[in-house]
Amino acid sequence: MAKVVITTSMFPEAVERLRAAGHAVAVHDGPLAPDARRSLAADALICPLSDRVDAELLEAAPTLRVVANLGVGVDNIDLAAATARRILVTNTPDVLTEATADLGWALLLAAARRIVEADQDLRRHGFPGWTFIPPHLGVDVYGRTLGVVGFGRIGQAMARRDKGFAMEVLCFSRTRRPEAEGALGVRHTSLDELLRESDFVVLCVPLTRETHHLIGERELALMKSTAILVNIARGPVVDERALVRALNAGRLRAAGLDVFEEEPRVHPDLIGMPNVVLTPHIGSATEATRRKMAELAVDGVLDVLAGRRPKHLVNPEAWPGKRNRKRGHGVESCGGGTG
Ligand code: NAP
Ligand code: GLV
């Protein structure tokens, strides 16, 4: 019997699948307490992307074989430390792509049409009476230019949704995707060109050393003062203080932000800005999507505990044929593993 620790509230059906396979499951409603972090007795950890899975935690978990991250982004996990200890890391790509792109568009439209501001004013002050030039004049979306930074799964899903809006779509990405670019009628440009030409810029890159502060003071200055920035990637992809300065100075029209540089902290200036739409990192938060993510995480854990290679393995270097080696701290015990 293996021990699975889950550090977030979880759908009972997902927990039941682990128990039905004969595993002991402990569900915590939040991140591990400091004591538990110092000594984690678990074969598998299922955690949300808000948990920090660092070298210290991995070191304190001598029996750990797999970390299943409830999210596609794995910047919360020290992958090098996991790989060094032959701990497999899995994530939940694909199933959340469409929900996250929907949220990206929701932020884009809400910021363009000042929906949250108008809603709040109506609730506070009542319906103001119809006026030809109302206080909440927005900007057109139809026929404008959308710039997608990071043309992967979610970036392409953002681009696919432009069709009803007859937009010109530009993209900037590390690896060119000529087929997808052609099929979607998207033009690949440099980042600078994209920023200069786009009316809406949406960020869809993972957080890595290269993408940290990809959008800083210089990049914001390249954008049109009438442009809107949407961040559904990770907070630190944007230099938040530079963004606040640009918004305060009117060098950017508005922003739609689902992610923040120091979550759960939100820069206080952003809270006070009516031209910023804020959501608390809910890109993939639909019931159907979260259920699929839970199932994927459980699939991966069941696979590893049964010695099978999980489908969404983030660190394949930790897998093949090397599973009975001694680790730096204790001997790996991959029950049932065929390697
Ligand atoms: P993906 O399919 O891997 O797409 C990421 C794209 O970014 C790829 O095209 C990748 O290029 C590109 N990229 C990577 N590094 C780059 C760089 N330095 N410069 C330019 N482009 C770069 O991932 P995805 O499934 O679309 O998810 C993207 C990210 O969205 C996740 O990592 C996560 O952080 C975030 N996310 C947020 C939410 C939310 O709730 N807000 C939900 C889901 C995901 P390559 O092909 O060369 O790697
Ligand atoms: C959400 O932010 C994810 O990476 O899945």
Side-chain angles (χ1 to χ4, degrees), residues 284-312:
S284 65
T286 69
E287 184 177 343
T289 296
R290 286 285 159 94
R291 284 186 182 280
K292 287 182 199 158
M293 291 164 66
E295 292 305 325
L296 265 195
V298 168
D299 287 349
V301 166
L302 289 175
D303 280 343
V304 173
L305 295 180
R308 297 184 295 266
R309 182 183 164 116
K311 185 171 172 203
H312 299 297

Side-chain angles (χ1 to χ4, degrees), residues 49 70-75 92 96 100 232-234 259 281 284 293:
L49 51 84
L70 291 162
V72 62
V74 286
D75 48 280
T92 60
L96 47 62
T100 307
I232 51 170
R234 282 289 183 271
V259 286
H281 203 149
S284 65
M293 291 164 66

Side-chain angles (χ1 to χ4, degrees), residues 144-151 155 159 168-174 181 186-205 214-215 218-225 227-230 252:
R144 312 286 298 288
T145 300
L146 172 67
V148 178
V149 178
F151 198 57
E168 181 183 357
V169 183
L170 311 178
C171 76
F172 164 73
S173 212
R174 182 172 59 185
E181 289 167 25
V186 170
R187 181 160 62 88
H188 193 277
T189 67
S190 67
L191 179 59
D192 286 6
E193 187 180 350
L194 179 149
L195 294 171
R196 277 195 199 99
E197 290 188 15
S198 298
D199 300 301
F200 303 92
V201 173
V202 60
L203 305 177
C204 307
V205 285
L214 184 69
I215 305 299
R218 188 190 82 83
E219 290 72 25
L220 290 164
L222 292 175
M223 291 176 70
K224 299 177 184 180
S225 60
I228 292 176
L229 178 71
V230 174
L252 199 63

Side-chain angles (χ1 to χ4, degrees), residues 90 134 255:
T90 65

